[in-house]
């Protein structure tokens, strides 16, 4: 049986209260937070006292006088500390430094030399990037989150398998700990992106959502009742390699007919090649081709429109499957493909999904494009560091102990 | 944000403790229950006191003396009350009366007249069946659970849509409440079967499982961290109508290429017809045909073996998709098709799923046949009634209040 301890509940409530303050953008009152979270006023008061004590929240004074008691306005204290988000991608590492209000303060980008992708090489790049990023603020960093492609074991920080660099069971966290003294949090881009949407995107309004990431690789993150759903070995959401077409196109994973082979960037380019082998839209860089398809569709180009139509047909069928299986409130589409083909692709997808999904769960779901800024992976990685800080026993445990002591001492 | 109140936690722990006692089959000690649930000894002691107070558990005396303190042996008190499980199927209603140890005490079966399937007709049959079943024990019944085909709203007890009888928005619970004074619990057979497996089958050993029901209709129930996963409108698990073959066979739902059209009983019979249109194995009753395929396969009949092989190939692909998406610990296959084609079908399915699923989540999952007795739907329906009784505020709330009073009074 899965156990929830008093500490779990407390941490969960702490997350909820803080998510409500972030969602308010600016400031919020205890009353508004209680309404947004559904928590009792007593619990909210308790959590806020704790967050004020550790300096995560600050009181901004009172709202404009009117009818009723003035309400203390609460806001995130951006100066309480900084969080680092690292997006490790095939060709470049991207580093963002966030203040505690999750505003980007500084960014660094370091290209990856394709000839130097051993773990030691990448560890050196990560260490260098974090050093450049945090130079002036090293003592303010509360934690570092890393989005690591492939299969990741978040607890041990092990890159179990990386599709780009053929890493197997690389103890990445352990290697980094020899160079860095910050708390480290590792997970893959799908999980990171989903955490970003959960805290700062569609998750602010709904508790059950699926985040669909569409770039070269594709995958989903599932949020159930406000929590990231990981499965028993953190592999849940491997939607990209579920079967869409029996004996269909060969996928880069070696299987036939995977979803990714049709709706990932290279799959879409392949659809274009099949329709028009010598199309001028085709570039060596798939991202450029996807952008060219979008621009051509805007001009009414028939081939570009047909590529989007075919892609939406594939996507609609598999999204209908997700609707039937998970019965979520919202499905958010993000990253390269969604950024470029956006509304047009979503229109076809929605129409096809409506036909294939069961009536009732389809009526309950909203399909929408991501509203997050451009890099959900680094924001999500930093969010893991934020969650880690908020779950820190030393910071919050001692507060709780101090309060208990205070209460029990007459 | 999803809220867990102190009452939720308490109820969840109560379920966990009782599940451990059921799993022990016979009797168990506080020490064994603490070990099985992972709950603290204090919590277990607290829950057990409560369950002894209300008469759900009894103490059987102490275990045989040996080294260490003797341990009080606890068992379910079968006489504490009775539960009714009703399986509403297309051609017959099946009623089981369980004691609190979940042993069947009596069963009744009533055929459904295909010409009289209006809600009022079915309500009359249900009322009659429950009357016959409980005649001598009417005052001992704690609750009645009903497995209702199709889409059900458990909270209001509304049959939103029934595929057999073309019911739409039938307020079944309300109609039944005019005839019956027991607490009523309604849900569909997939959810019921999953609850049965969660309490009395594979769920005794694992917290994350998928129950695959294979009969005329097919579907799944998903258990996440020991809880039935329902989705936002209780429609999660509509696996039967996810797409398996693009533009494939027409399904009885009107869509093309659904999973059900290949691995449901009629789909398997169709595969047989396609291979051998005049096969002597074909009977007008699909259940008879499935049994004949099983018997023929045992004799080494090539056509029967090929039907199982093709079915396992379809099933393996879609099961691999479930493994990739949900990353469960166990997948259990049950009902008509699994009962007959059992080990043979599972062998092919496992082999094909191994090829199609991602390596890591497939390594984490066990595929197995159901070990539950023949009717998981009525057992599961009775399990909902058991859960309802265990969540009853009047029974358990007053106990908690009494204890609190006792504790606070010096
Ligand atoms: Zn693949
Ligand atoms: Zn169908």
């Amino acid at each position: 049986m899965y156990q929830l301890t008093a500490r779990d509940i407390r941490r969960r409530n702490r997350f909820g209260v803080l998510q409500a303050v972030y969602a308010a953008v600016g400031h919020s009152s205890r009353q508004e937070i209680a309404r947004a979270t559904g928590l009792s006023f007593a619990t909210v008061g308790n959590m806020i006292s704790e967050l004020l004590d550790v300096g995560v929240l600050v009181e901004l004074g009172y709202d404009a006088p009117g009818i009723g008691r003035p309400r203390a306005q609460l806001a995130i204290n951006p100066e309480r500390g900084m969080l680092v988000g690292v997006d490790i991608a095939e060709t470049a590492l991207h580093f963002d430094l966030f203040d505690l209000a999750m505003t980007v303060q500084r960014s660094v980008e370091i290209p990856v030399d394709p000839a130097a992708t051993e773990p030691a090489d990448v560890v050196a790049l990560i260490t260098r990037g974090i050093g450049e990023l945090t130079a002036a603020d090293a003592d303010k960093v509360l934690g570092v989150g890393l989005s690591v492609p492939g299969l990741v074991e978040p607890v041990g920080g092990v890159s179990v398998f990386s599709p780009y660099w053929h890493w197997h069971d690389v103890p990445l966290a352990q290697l980094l700990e020899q160079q860095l003294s910050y708390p480290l949090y590792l997970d893959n881009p799908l999980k990171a992106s989903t955490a970003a949407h959960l805290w700062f995107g569609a998750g602010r309004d709904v508790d059950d959502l699926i985040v669909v990431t569409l770039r070269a690789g594709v995958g989903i993150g599932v949020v159930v009742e406000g929590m990231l759903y990981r499965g028993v070995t953190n592999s849940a959401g491997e939607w990209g390699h579920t079967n869409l077409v029996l004996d269909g196109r060969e996928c880069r994973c070696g299987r036939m007919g995977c979803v990714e082979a049709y709706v990932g960037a290279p799959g879409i380019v392949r659809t274009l090649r099949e329709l028009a082998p010598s199309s001028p839209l085709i570039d060596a860089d798939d991202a450029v081709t996807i952008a060219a398809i979008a621009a051509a569709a805007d001009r009414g180009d028939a081939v570009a429109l047909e590529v989007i139509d075919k892609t939406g047909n594939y996507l609609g069928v598999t999204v209908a499957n997700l609707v039937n299986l998970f019965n979520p409130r919202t499905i958010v589409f993000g990253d390269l493909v969604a950024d470029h083909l956006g509304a047009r692709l979503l229109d076809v997808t929605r129409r096809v999904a409506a036909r294939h999904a069961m009536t009732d769960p389809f009526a309950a779901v909203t399909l929408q494009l991501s509203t997050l800024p451009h890099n959900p992976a680094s924001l999500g990685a930093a969010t893991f560091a934020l969650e880690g800080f908020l779950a820190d026993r030393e910071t919050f445990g001692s507060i709780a102990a101090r309060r208990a002591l205070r209460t029990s001492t007459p």
Side-chain angles (χ1 to χ4, degrees), chain A:
Chain A
M1 193 180 57
Y2 177 69
Q3 291 316 319
L4 280 169
T5 64
R7 179 180 289 119
D8 293 330
I9 311 284
R10 208 174 166 79
R11 191 184 55 215
R12 203 161 159 164
N13 289 342
R14 191 182 301 137
F15 284 20
V17 164
L18 213 51
Q19 282 165 358
V21 180
Y22 278 114
V25 186
H27 49 79
S28 190
S29 67
R30 287 174 178 76
Q31 289 80 355
E32 284 161 346
I33 294 166
R35 203 164 44 236
T37 58
L39 289 170
S40 74
F41 198 75
T43 301
V44 169
N46 193 319
M47 292 295 130
I48 286 174
S49 299
E50 195 185 61
L51 290 164
L52 287 168
D53 274 1
V54 298
V56 168
L57 291 182
V58 284
E59 255 169 345
L60 293 181
Y62 291 82
D63 61 353
I67 297 154
R69 282 201 299 170
R71 296 171 170 189
Q73 293 299 304
L74 299 150
I76 306 285
N77 175 10
E79 324 233 299
R80 173 61 177 81
M82 306 191 106
L83 300 162
V84 174
V86 185
D87 177 20
I88 301 177
E90 189 170 8
T91 55
L93 309 187
H94 182 85
F95 304 78
D96 285 319
L97 183 68
F98 298 88
D99 65 19
L100 205 61
M102 297 311 261
T103 308
V104 176
Q105 298 299 309
R106 204 169 312 128
S107 299
V108 168
E109 183 125 354
I110 302 183
V112 175
D113 174 357
T117 59
E118 289 300 308
D121 304 319
V122 175
V123 164
L125 294 185
I126 294 170
T127 310
R128 196 185 105 204
I130 292 175
E132 290 178 20
L133 190 76
T134 62
D137 309 291
D139 55 326
K140 295 184 198 143
V141 174
L142 300 170
V144 173
L146 298 105
S147 160
V148 182
L151 192 58
V152 179
E153 255 180 27
V155 175
V158 173
S159 169
V160 177
F161 172 68
S162 157
Y164 299 149
W165 303 320
H166 304 288
W167 290 3
H168 285 273
D169 296 318
V170 172
L172 193 56
Q174 205 180 308
L175 296 172
L176 286 166
E177 273 162 11
Q178 293 164 9
Q179 314 285 332
L180 298 165
S181 58
Y182 309 118
L184 299 175
Y185 306 89
L186 279 74
D187 212 326
N188 76 18
L190 296 177
K191 301 285 196 301
S193 175
T194 306
H197 282 91
L198 170 58
W199 277 80
F200 307 107
R204 300 193 304 198
D205 302 314
V206 299
D207 290 336
D208 297 85
L209 71 147
I210 293 179
V211 176
V212 179
T213 294
L214 297 170
R215 45 179 162 182
V218 306
I220 61 171
V222 180
V223 174
V224 176
E225 292 176 353
M227 308 283 278
L228 187 54
Y229 174 65
R230 295 181 175 280
V232 296
T233 57
N234 201 35
S235 306
E238 276 294 357
W239 167 72
H241 304 285
T242 60
N243 187 273
L244 173 60
V245 181
L246 274 183
D247 303 316
R249 291 180 183 171
E250 188 173 354
C251 180
R252 63 175 172 147
C253 74
R255 296 176 185 83
M256 313 300 278
C258 293
V259 165
E260 186 168 299
Y262 295 85
V263 305
I268 296 171
V269 174
R270 177 160 169 184
T271 301
L272 170 59
R273 280 183 202 280
E274 286 176 2
L275 285 169
S278 57
S279 166
L281 303 175
I282 299 170
D283 185 277
D285 181 343
D286 287 341
V288 174
T289 308
I290 300 290
I293 292 170
D298 287 343
R299 296 189 307 266
D301 180 279
V303 170
L305 289 169
E306 194 172 346
V307 169
I308 294 173
D309 194 65
K310 278 189 182 292
T311 304
N313 267 278
Y314 290 124
L315 191 55
V317 171
T318 168
V319 162
N321 289 353
L322 296 179
V323 169
N324 287 355
L325 289 172
F326 288 99
N327 186 201
R329 185 64 74 193
T330 300
I331 300 184
V332 181
F333 298 84
D335 225 302
L336 179 71
V337 171
D339 291 348
H340 283 107
L341 306 183
R344 236 183 259 282
L345 179 61
L346 190 59
D347 278 353
V348 187
T349 303
R350 192 183 279 123
R351 212 163 53 232
V352 174
R355 226 165 48 225
H356 278 87
M358 301 288 281
T359 313
D360 181 77
F362 190 77
V365 75
T366 303
L367 309 186
Q368 63 188 54
L369 295 171
S370 166
T371 55
L372 280 186
H374 64 290
N375 197 330
S378 79
L379 175 59
T383 303
F384 286 132
L386 172 66
E387 290 186 348
F389 166 65
L390 292 173
D392 181 45
R393 287 188 192 194
E394 216 164 296
T395 308
F396 289 89
S398 61
I399 290 286
R402 214 156 59 228
R403 297 203 149 255
L405 202 69
R406 218 183 286 161
T407 312
S408 65
T409 315

